[in-house]
């Protein structure tokens, strides 16, 4: 474990660590573009210049291993001038696209220009023109003029996905990143290239032009898309959620997340959400406040002899604990686990993507085990077919896209005399249900997801989209007899 | 669709086995493609080579576009490459190129109408003692003058 | 005073073939070397003071000593990617004496314990490739290459790899990248090639002339070799002289030889009796010398370094009074702009910027502040990149401006060249 | 402000002052009737006051030489607006050299404080504050100006063209 001094701060690093890692550890700022903790070292942007005591030449921090007793600093005039000049070199051929560039506001060039540059350009010559708005398939748009050739994206497709779509073609200042013959960049992790691009060369088609980043706020939470449980940052403003990006967590997702997971913000937005409680009556569907619908459900259930509960792995552990407890206490031990895609449930693509498309299957199984509930899906089917279930309560999924069997299953559930669907999102398949009660999405609540490895991770609560929607905790309180809705939902947290 | 001749494929196979790393076969294979494909490497040819060797096409494309001796456009039967680097340009190589282009009625990099000539400026050919140096396909011609160039052109016709 | 060591038989056509080569003492040193221990050879090379002839001038024996001392497989690469403008000695060496190189390589391979070697020849040198390939076949047939050479128990395979036109492949790690079938982009150091080079194995890269010289060090011994040259720059060196002299060509002289003598004696003086204006002593990347400096210069590593220039690959470009230095710099900078691999930002963008500034001066659009700007851009490209290409563009720029500033100022003020009227 | 009047004998009387005042009134009446140019007031709304060229009135979105909007939908005006009265919806343009443009650009003129920050923030000279200011409306909605109002209202005569065009911009390497 060598020790070194970074800008006067002593720090101990792992064997073989580089100087830039020492900087990261001390939280001393160091400009860098090409270095990324999840990729190999390229050493090409030349921004991370440091002065090492006893070495007259400036060195790059990303490829210099720390030696015991090394004294390194990057706050000397010599380093500052070098970094400013390297930034100048980056910028001389960079187009003035900031007004139309999606990266503006979170762009490495803008950032370092403000912190290390602030000079007047001396470039009086023509800039090099390259290709703009290159369509790289369904997800990514490329602008080679904005590219600073840090090669992060190329290393990503070479090292992480190993799909090798991207390359740097030509040489010198004619170099351009791209795919061979502009073929699509359609691997399952392609949007990570957009995240790691320090400039606006790669932009996401989904997010493109929809919002300027400085209008967005963000919070950290856990991806709901599958059992991997990737840590993500969700971005929103008063109009809803706009995107999610991965947050590094070495234990869970490293630095990446899949493209599927990038869509999980969509169903949390208002246009997809169920906003009021719906009760089917002879006269038609009657809309009411969710709490009122829940109270009516309680009354309805109290007459029932045979009620059953179906749970999906899309709710938090806390909700399962309380709700299963209330339900079994009040209506008996009929609790079933709905597995959406049994055939591909155990799949794994070797990087992140899991076949189990529920964020908290392990949490659910732990709760059921803890309660001593052993049930099989076949039992439920048999009971439904034979009409043994009077009232079936289904805690339905949020992410309908990963439930290919939704229609089929809802038809099956319809065989119960009465069907209640608890759901955050609207679906036409639910229209036949007797009760539809709106639930909060994972973006709007606290709680725990347990990923496939059994790692418990806390959700970070974001803004409330549908303030009147319930959580299973609220619902269990109502089932237990309370007519008040807990403080958990509407009264806390900012509303959109 | 471009496809290598059987001999060409054989050569690629041999090159793949010749070096410790199969990637080393890219450059010799591209030379072979260029030879068989009217003096240039087309995108289809890159695809073909990628299929043949199992090397990602983006990688082959990177190599192809990095090295100046691979042409990305069709070239004439005789590729006249005039060195315009320091010593040669001291001895009027640039004027010689302009002159030549004018005579053939083409711009640099273009193919003459009869499909025989392409003229391009290249960097040092390593024949500075005989400046200006000109390379036609793989043959060097030294101490070029406009007159010698005329003779050369007429001989190549 | 030509000292013919390597180039003794270059004028003899039969020296190209194996028989002719053997009749002139060829492959004799190989037998001598096999009687020595590899460490002894390295020691002799160290003692001889042989320094890399490709440009950097790093002591060869010391470089060999960096290899890990275990049995790990390692490679010997011969750098024949001679791209430095003004240099053509390697081509002459390969075409006039291929077996000399092969013999030098076998000895060097034996010394460093490598069993596989490549000669990386630049793509344009098709003749050299053909001649080398033929010579290698002859050598295999005669048992100088292959398994158990001359009964010594030493196996050595040699192959030729043809580049495809990229100056940067002359940089040792760029060459390794190219040999690995990638773009010829230099690699980050550390790790150095001697630890992790070709295919991540220890690799030694030496210039054609360096490897060929090993044969003569074995022949004459360290002391014999040191008879030529100076204390710190031992031995002889092949210089590629081009430009405004009467007899341009490759000349072998001992290091420390006077530059004026080289021009006047070997090269037959200035062309058409014109006046000397400047000399680029070590290829286009070496800072230029004025006529006055040329008068004092001796051709060795130390003297030229002292004058702020370098010996480089030994490409001497003689410039007479009729040449416009602004135009020359434009040609040089165009070359570096064209050849920058595009990896490191200062070089990728800086070479283009430099060329554009000089081009606008030549086009008559220059501004007086451009001269300082050129200087500052060059200053900030120096030493900031993975390899030395950006230095190679920066150094001549700075020296041209420093030594011929009034020519640049004239060009900007008048919109025309000072010398061409 | 206090005016110190010199007491004199006449000022003690009522009528002389009145007559003097009426005289001024009558003189001006005659003057206004005979030389209307020198009249200080305007017959609004038939007559309108002409403001200086730097007056910050209703916004104008400038257009390019081909008549399309100059605006690139960068949202800097909306960011800079202290009254939060600008709403822009951006979209992808078919022409890659344009790339981004506004499909909707609205200014709520009732919220606008006419500070001119939008004009200052604009990097491409796409928004200017024009000379007009008195635009009546019948309800709240008629004060929300959209693209057709901002760029192509009849008073602009087909749109105000900016000086620098894309070609010149690219030529200049900007």
């Amino acid at each position: 474990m060598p020790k070194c001094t970074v800008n006067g701060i002593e720090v101990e690093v792992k064997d073989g660590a580089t100087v830039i890692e020492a900087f990261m550890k001390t939280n001393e700022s160091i400009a860098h573009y090409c270095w990324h903790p999840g990729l190999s070292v390229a050493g090409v942007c030349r921004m991370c210049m440091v002065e090492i005591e006893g070495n007259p030449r400036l060195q790059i921090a990303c490829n210099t291993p720390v030696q015991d007793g090394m004294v390194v600093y990057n706050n000397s005039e010599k380093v500052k001038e070098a970094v400013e000049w390297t930034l100048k070199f980056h910028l001389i051929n960079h187009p003035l696209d900031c007004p139309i560039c999606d990266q503006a506001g979170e762009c490495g060039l803008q950032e370092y220009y403000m912190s290390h540059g602030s000079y007047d350009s001396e470039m009086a010559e023509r800039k090099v023109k390259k290709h703009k708005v290159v369509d790289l398939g369904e997800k990514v748009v490329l602008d080679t003029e904005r590219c600073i050739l840090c090669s992060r994206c190329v290393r990503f497709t070479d090292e992480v996905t190993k799909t090798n779509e991207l390359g740097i073609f030509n040489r010198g200042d004619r170099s351009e990143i791209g795919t061979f013959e502009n073929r699509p960049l359609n691997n399952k992790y392609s949007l990570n290239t957009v995240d790691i691009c320090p400039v606006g060369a790669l932009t996401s088609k989904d997010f493109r032009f929809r919002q300027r980043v400085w209008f967005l706020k963000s919070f950290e939470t856990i991806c709901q898309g599958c059992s991997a449980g990737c840590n993500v940052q969700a971005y929103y403003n008063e109009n809803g959620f706009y995107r999610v990006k991965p947050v590094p967590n070495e234990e869970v997702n490293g630095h990446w997340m899949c493209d599927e997971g990038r869509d999980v913000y969509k169903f949390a937005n208002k246009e997809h959400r169920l906003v009021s409680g719906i009760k089917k009556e002879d006269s038609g569907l009657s809309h009411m406040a969710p709490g009122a619908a829940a109270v009516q459900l309680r009354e309805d259930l109290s007459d029932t002899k045979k009620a059953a509960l179906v749970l999906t792995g899309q709710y938090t552990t806390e909700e399962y604990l309380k709700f299963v407890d209330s339900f079994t206490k009040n209506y008996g031990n009929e609790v079933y686990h709905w597995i959406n895609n049994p055939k591909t449930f155990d799949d794994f693509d070797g990087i992140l993507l899991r076949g189990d498309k529920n964020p908290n299957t392990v949490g659910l199984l732990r709760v059921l085990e803890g309660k001593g509930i052993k049930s099989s899906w076949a039992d439920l089917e048999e009971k439904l077919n034979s009409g043994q279930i009077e009232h079936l309560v289904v805690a339905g999924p949020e992410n309908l896209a990963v439930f290919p069997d939704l229609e089929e299953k809802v038809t099956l559930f319809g065989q119960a005399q009465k069907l209640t669907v608890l759901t955050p999102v609207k679906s036409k398949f639910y229209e036949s249900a007797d009760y539809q009660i709106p639930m909060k999405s994972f973006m709007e609540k606290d709680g725990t997801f347990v990923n496939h490895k059994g790692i418990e991770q806390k959700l970070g609560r974001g803004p409330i989209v549908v303030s009147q929607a319930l959580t299973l905790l609220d619902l269990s309180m109502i089932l237990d007899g309370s007519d008040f809705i807990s403080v958990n939902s509407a009264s806390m947290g900012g509303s959109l | 669709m471009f496809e290598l001749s059987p001999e060409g494929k054989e050569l690629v196979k041999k090159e793949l086995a010749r070096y410790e790393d199969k990637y080393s076969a890219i450059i010799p294979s591209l030379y072979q493609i260029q030879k068989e494909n009217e003096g240039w490497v087309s995108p289809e040819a890159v695809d073909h080579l990628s299929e043949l060797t199992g090397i990602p096409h983006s990688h082959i494309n990177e190599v192809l576009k990095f090295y100046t001796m691979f042409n990305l456009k069709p070239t004439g039967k005789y590729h006249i490459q005039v060195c315009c680097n320091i010593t040669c340009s001291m001895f009027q190589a640039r004027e010689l190129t302009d002159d030549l282009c004018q005579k053939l009625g083409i711009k640099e990099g273009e193919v003459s109408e009869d499909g025989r000539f392409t003229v391009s400026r290249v960097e040092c050919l390593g024949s500075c003692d005989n400046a200006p140096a000109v390379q036609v396909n793989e043959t060097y011609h030294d101490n070029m003058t406009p007159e010698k160039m005329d003779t050369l052109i007429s001989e190549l016709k | 005073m030509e000292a013919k060591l390597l180039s003794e038989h270059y004028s003899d056509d039969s020296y190209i073939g194996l028989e002719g080569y053997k009749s002139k003492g060829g492959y004799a040193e190989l037998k001598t070397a096999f009687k020595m221990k590899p460490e002894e050879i390295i020691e002799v090379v160290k003692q001889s003071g042989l320094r890399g002839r490709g440009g950097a001038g790093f002591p060869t024996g010391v470089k060999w000593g960096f290899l890990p001392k275990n049995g790990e497989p390692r490679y010997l690469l011969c750098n024949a990617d001679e791209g430095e403008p003004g240099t053509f000695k390697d081509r002459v060496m390969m075409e006039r004496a291929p077996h000399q190189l092969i013999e030098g390589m076998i000895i060097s391979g034996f010394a460093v314990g490598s069993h596989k070697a490549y000669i990386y020849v630049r793509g344009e040198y098709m003749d050299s490739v053909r001649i080398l390939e033929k010579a290698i076949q002859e050598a295999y047939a005669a048992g100088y290459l292959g398994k158990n050479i001359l009964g010594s128990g030493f196996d050595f395979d040699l192959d030729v790899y043809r580049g495809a036109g990229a100056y940067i492949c002359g940089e040792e790690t760029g060459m390794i990248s190219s040999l690995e079938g990638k773009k010829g982009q230099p690699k980050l150091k550390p790790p150095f090639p001697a630890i992790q080079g070709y295919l991540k194995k220890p690799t030694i890269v030496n210039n054609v002339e360096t490897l060929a010289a090993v044969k003569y060090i074995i022949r004459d011994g360290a002391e014999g070799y040191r008879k030529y040259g100076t204390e710190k720059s031992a031995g002889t060196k092949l210089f590629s002289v081009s430009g405004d002299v009467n007899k341009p060509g490759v000349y072998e002289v001992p290091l420390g030889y006077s530059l004026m003598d080289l021009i006047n004696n070997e090269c037959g003086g200035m062309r058409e009796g014109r006046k000397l204006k400047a000399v680029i002593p070590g290829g286009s990347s070496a800072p230029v010398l004025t006529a006055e400096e040329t008068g004092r210069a001796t051709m060795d590593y130390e003297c030229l370094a002292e004058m702020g220039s370098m010996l480089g690959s030994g490409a001497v470009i003689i410039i007479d009074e009729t040449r416009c230095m602004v135009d020359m710099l434009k040609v040089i900078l165009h070359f570096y702009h064209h050849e920058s691999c595009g990896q490191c930002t200062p070089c990728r963008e800086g070479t283009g910027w430099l060329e554009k500034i000089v081009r606008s001066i030549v086009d008559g659009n220059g501004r007086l502040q451009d001269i300082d700007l050129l200087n500052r851009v060059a200053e900030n490209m120096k030493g900031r990149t993975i390899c030395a290409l950006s230095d190679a563009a920066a150094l001549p720029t700075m020296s041209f401006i420093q030594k011929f500033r009034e020519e640049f100022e004239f060009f900007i003020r008048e919109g025309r060249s000072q010398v061409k009227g | 402000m206090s005016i110190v009047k010199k007491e004199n004998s006449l000022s003690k009387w009522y009528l002389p002052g009145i007559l003097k005042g009426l005289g001024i009134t009558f003189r001006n009446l005659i003057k206004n009737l005979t030389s209307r140019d020198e009249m200080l007031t305007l017959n609004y709304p038939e007559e309108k006051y002409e403001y200086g060229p730097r007056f910050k009135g209703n916004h104008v979105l400038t257009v390019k030489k081909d008549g399309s909007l100059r605006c690139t939908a960068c949202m800097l005006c909306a960011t800079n607006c202290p009254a939060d009265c600008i709403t822009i919806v951006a979209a992808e343009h078919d022409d890659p050299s344009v790339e981004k443009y506004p499909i909707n650009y609205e200014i709520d003129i009732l919220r606008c404080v006419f500070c001119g920050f939008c004009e200052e923030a604009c990097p491409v000279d796409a928004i200017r504050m024009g000379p007009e200011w008195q635009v009546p409306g019948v309800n709240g909605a008629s004060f929300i100006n959209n693209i057709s109002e901002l760029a192509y209202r009849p008073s602009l005569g087909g749109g105000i063209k900016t000086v620098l065009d894309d070609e010149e911009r690219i030529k200049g390497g900007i």
Side-chain angles (χ1 to χ4, degrees), chain A residues 1-3 11-18 21-22 25 65-66 250:
Chain A
M1 297 279 276
K3 270 188 195 153
V11 62
E12 198 174 336
V13 293
K14 282 184 294 189
D15 283 323
T18 53
E21 285 166 321
K25 215 173 162 189
V66 173
E250 283 303 333

PDB file of all heavy atoms in Angstrom, chain A residues 1-3 11-18 21-22 25 65-66 250:
ATOM      1  N   MET A   1       0.836  -1.207   0.000  1.00  0.00           N
ATOM      2  CA  MET A   1       0.000   0.000   0.000  1.00  0.00           C
ATOM      3  C   MET A   1       0.866   1.251   0.000  1.00  0.00           C
ATOM      4  O   MET A   1       1.226   1.764   1.067  1.00  0.00           O
ATOM      5  CB  MET A   1      -0.900  -0.010   1.249  1.00  0.00           C
ATOM      6  CG  MET A   1      -1.875  -1.162   1.276  1.00  0.00           C
ATOM      7  SD  MET A   1      -3.335  -0.853   0.286  1.00  0.00           S
ATOM      8  CE  MET A   1      -4.359   0.061   1.416  1.00  0.00           C
ATOM      9  N   PRO A   2       1.239   1.747  -1.180  1.00  0.00           N
ATOM     10  CA  PRO A   2       2.094   2.929  -1.223  1.00  0.00           C
ATOM     11  C   PRO A   2       1.344   4.197  -0.784  1.00  0.00           C
ATOM     12  O   PRO A   2       0.132   4.307  -0.974  1.00  0.00           O
ATOM     13  CB  PRO A   2       2.488   3.034  -2.697  1.00  0.00           C
ATOM     14  CG  PRO A   2       1.455   2.273  -3.431  1.00  0.00           C
ATOM     15  CD  PRO A   2       0.884   1.253  -2.509  1.00  0.00           C
ATOM     16  N   LYS A   3       2.104   5.105  -0.198  1.00  0.00           N
ATOM     17  CA  LYS A   3       1.543   6.390   0.218  1.00  0.00           C
ATOM     18  C   LYS A   3       2.115   7.476  -0.669  1.00  0.00           C
ATOM     19  O   LYS A   3       3.269   7.418  -1.065  1.00  0.00           O
ATOM     20  CB  LYS A   3       1.974   6.682   1.660  1.00  0.00           C
ATOM     21  CG  LYS A   3       1.017   6.143   2.694  1.00  0.00           C
ATOM     22  CD  LYS A   3       1.424   6.636   4.073  1.00  0.00           C
ATOM     23  CE  LYS A   3       0.709   5.830   5.117  1.00  0.00           C
ATOM     24  NZ  LYS A   3       1.422   5.763   6.373  1.00  0.00           N
ATOM     25  N   VAL A  11      -2.037  10.483   1.131  1.00  0.00           N
ATOM     26  CA  VAL A  11      -3.079   9.502   0.849  1.00  0.00           C
ATOM     27  C   VAL A  11      -2.433   8.154   0.582  1.00  0.00           C
ATOM     28  O   VAL A  11      -1.337   8.061   0.032  1.00  0.00           O
ATOM     29  CB  VAL A  11      -3.954   9.962  -0.339  1.00  0.00           C
ATOM     30  CG1 VAL A  11      -3.150  10.086  -1.611  1.00  0.00           C
ATOM     31  CG2 VAL A  11      -5.135   9.039  -0.543  1.00  0.00           C
ATOM     32  N   GLU A  12      -3.118   7.116   1.023  1.00  0.00           N
ATOM     33  CA  GLU A  12      -2.621   5.762   0.818  1.00  0.00           C
ATOM     34  C   GLU A  12      -3.490   5.108  -0.245  1.00  0.00           C
ATOM     35  O   GLU A  12      -4.722   5.208  -0.194  1.00  0.00           O
ATOM     36  CB  GLU A  12      -2.724   4.994   2.130  1.00  0.00           C
ATOM     37  CG  GLU A  12      -1.851   3.761   2.148  1.00  0.00           C
ATOM     38  CD  GLU A  12      -1.853   3.097   3.527  1.00  0.00           C
ATOM     39  OE1 GLU A  12      -2.114   3.783   4.521  1.00  0.00           O
ATOM     40  OE2 GLU A  12      -1.610   1.896   3.560  1.00  0.00           O
ATOM     41  N   VAL A  13      -2.851   4.483  -1.222  1.00  0.00           N
ATOM     42  CA  VAL A  13      -3.638   3.871  -2.292  1.00  0.00           C
ATOM     43  C   VAL A  13      -3.285   2.407  -2.440  1.00  0.00           C
ATOM     44  O   VAL A  13      -2.304   1.918  -1.872  1.00  0.00           O
ATOM     45  CB  VAL A  13      -3.399   4.592  -3.648  1.00  0.00           C
ATOM     46  CG1 VAL A  13      -3.950   5.993  -3.610  1.00  0.00           C
ATOM     47  CG2 VAL A  13      -1.931   4.589  -4.002  1.00  0.00           C
ATOM     48  N   LYS A  14      -4.106   1.721  -3.240  1.00  0.00           N
ATOM     49  CA  LYS A  14      -3.870   0.299  -3.498  1.00  0.00           C
ATOM     50  C   LYS A  14      -2.574   0.118  -4.274  1.00  0.00           C
ATOM     51  O   LYS A  14      -2.132   1.001  -4.991  1.00  0.00           O
ATOM     52  CB  LYS A  14      -5.010  -0.276  -4.349  1.00  0.00           C
ATOM     53  CG  LYS A  14      -6.271  -0.573  -3.590  1.00  0.00           C
ATOM     54  CD  LYS A  14      -7.279  -1.228  -4.514  1.00  0.00           C
ATOM     55  CE  LYS A  14      -7.725  -0.254  -5.591  1.00  0.00           C
ATOM     56  NZ  LYS A  14      -8.825  -0.652  -6.414  1.00  0.00           N
ATOM     57  N   ASP A  15      -1.992  -1.068  -4.171  1.00  0.00           N
ATOM     58  CA  ASP A  15      -0.800  -1.369  -4.971  1.00  0.00           C
ATOM     59  C   ASP A  15      -1.151  -1.251  -6.448  1.00  0.00           C
ATOM     60  O   ASP A  15      -2.200  -1.708  -6.887  1.00  0.00           O
ATOM     61  CB  ASP A  15      -0.334  -2.799  -4.681  1.00  0.00           C
ATOM     62  CG  ASP A  15       0.398  -2.865  -3.355  1.00  0.00           C
ATOM     63  OD1 ASP A  15       1.118  -1.910  -3.047  1.00  0.00           O
ATOM     64  OD2 ASP A  15       0.218  -3.872  -2.631  1.00  0.00           O
ATOM     65  N   GLY A  16      -0.242  -0.631  -7.189  1.00  0.00           N
ATOM     66  CA  GLY A  16      -0.455  -0.508  -8.637  1.00  0.00           C
ATOM     67  C   GLY A  16      -1.428   0.581  -9.023  1.00  0.00           C
ATOM     68  O   GLY A  16      -1.744   0.735 -10.196  1.00  0.00           O
ATOM     69  N   ALA A  17      -1.926   1.329  -8.065  1.00  0.00           N
ATOM     70  CA  ALA A  17      -2.863   2.406  -8.399  1.00  0.00           C
ATOM     71  C   ALA A  17      -2.112   3.532  -9.091  1.00  0.00           C
ATOM     72  O   ALA A  17      -0.912   3.710  -8.905  1.00  0.00           O
ATOM     73  CB  ALA A  17      -3.540   2.920  -7.143  1.00  0.00           C
ATOM     74  N   THR A  18      -2.834   4.280  -9.892  1.00  0.00           N
ATOM     75  CA  THR A  18      -2.210   5.389 -10.602  1.00  0.00           C
ATOM     76  C   THR A  18      -2.439   6.696  -9.842  1.00  0.00           C
ATOM     77  O   THR A  18      -3.255   6.756  -8.925  1.00  0.00           O
ATOM     78  CB  THR A  18      -2.776   5.515 -12.017  1.00  0.00           C
ATOM     79  OG1 THR A  18      -4.187   5.590 -11.920  1.00  0.00           O
ATOM     80  CG2 THR A  18      -2.389   4.340 -12.868  1.00  0.00           C
ATOM     81  N   GLU A  21      -5.915   8.035  -9.561  1.00  0.00           N
ATOM     82  CA  GLU A  21      -6.756   7.387  -8.555  1.00  0.00           C
ATOM     83  C   GLU A  21      -6.505   7.979  -7.172  1.00  0.00           C
ATOM     84  O   GLU A  21      -7.419   8.112  -6.363  1.00  0.00           O
ATOM     85  CB  GLU A  21      -6.522   5.873  -8.562  1.00  0.00           C
ATOM     86  CG  GLU A  21      -7.179   5.215  -9.757  1.00  0.00           C
ATOM     87  CD  GLU A  21      -6.723   3.784 -10.011  1.00  0.00           C
ATOM     88  OE1 GLU A  21      -5.517   3.489  -9.840  1.00  0.00           O
ATOM     89  OE2 GLU A  21      -7.552   2.966 -10.385  1.00  0.00           O
ATOM     90  N   ALA A  22      -5.244   8.350  -6.951  1.00  0.00           N
ATOM     91  CA  ALA A  22      -4.935   9.022  -5.692  1.00  0.00           C
ATOM     92  C   ALA A  22      -5.649  10.361  -5.617  1.00  0.00           C
ATOM     93  O   ALA A  22      -6.174  10.739  -4.559  1.00  0.00           O
ATOM     94  CB  ALA A  22      -3.428   9.220  -5.567  1.00  0.00           C
ATOM     95  N   LYS A  25      -9.175   9.820  -4.784  1.00  0.00           N
ATOM     96  CA  LYS A  25      -9.366   9.438  -3.388  1.00  0.00           C
ATOM     97  C   LYS A  25      -9.345  10.662  -2.472  1.00  0.00           C
ATOM     98  O   LYS A  25     -10.034  10.690  -1.456  1.00  0.00           O
ATOM     99  CB  LYS A  25      -8.270   8.454  -2.987  1.00  0.00           C
ATOM    100  CG  LYS A  25      -8.783   7.418  -2.008  1.00  0.00           C
ATOM    101  CD  LYS A  25      -7.759   6.347  -1.744  1.00  0.00           C
ATOM    102  CE  LYS A  25      -8.132   5.620  -0.473  1.00  0.00           C
ATOM    103  NZ  LYS A  25      -7.106   4.703  -0.028  1.00  0.00           N
ATOM    104  N   PRO A  65       2.073   5.178 -12.252  1.00  0.00           N
ATOM    105  CA  PRO A  65       1.778   4.445 -11.027  1.00  0.00           C
ATOM    106  C   PRO A  65       2.309   5.194  -9.808  1.00  0.00           C
ATOM    107  O   PRO A  65       3.358   5.832  -9.875  1.00  0.00           O
ATOM    108  CB  PRO A  65       2.518   3.112 -11.203  1.00  0.00           C
ATOM    109  CG  PRO A  65       3.170   3.150 -12.530  1.00  0.00           C
ATOM    110  CD  PRO A  65       3.070   4.523 -13.086  1.00  0.00           C
ATOM    111  N   VAL A  66       1.572   5.104  -8.737  1.00  0.00           N
ATOM    112  CA  VAL A  66       2.003   5.750  -7.501  1.00  0.00           C
ATOM    113  C   VAL A  66       3.175   4.978  -6.918  1.00  0.00           C
ATOM    114  O   VAL A  66       3.136   3.749  -6.832  1.00  0.00           O
ATOM    115  CB  VAL A  66       0.841   5.782  -6.478  1.00  0.00           C
ATOM    116  CG1 VAL A  66       1.325   6.295  -5.141  1.00  0.00           C
ATOM    117  CG2 VAL A  66      -0.287   6.640  -6.997  1.00  0.00           C
ATOM    118  N   GLU A 250     -19.525  -0.565  -7.463  1.00  0.00           N
ATOM    119  CA  GLU A 250     -18.686  -1.703  -7.857  1.00  0.00           C
ATOM    120  C   GLU A 250     -19.354  -3.042  -7.559  1.00  0.00           C
ATOM    121  O   GLU A 250     -19.200  -3.993  -8.300  1.00  0.00           O
ATOM    122  CB  GLU A 250     -17.322  -1.626  -7.147  1.00  0.00           C
ATOM    123  CG  GLU A 250     -16.367  -0.612  -7.760  1.00  0.00           C
ATOM    124  CD  GLU A 250     -16.100  -0.848  -9.240  1.00  0.00           C
ATOM    125  OE1 GLU A 250     -16.203  -1.999  -9.689  1.00  0.00           O
ATOM    126  OE2 GLU A 250     -15.828   0.143  -9.956  1.00  0.00           O
TER     127      GLU A 250
END
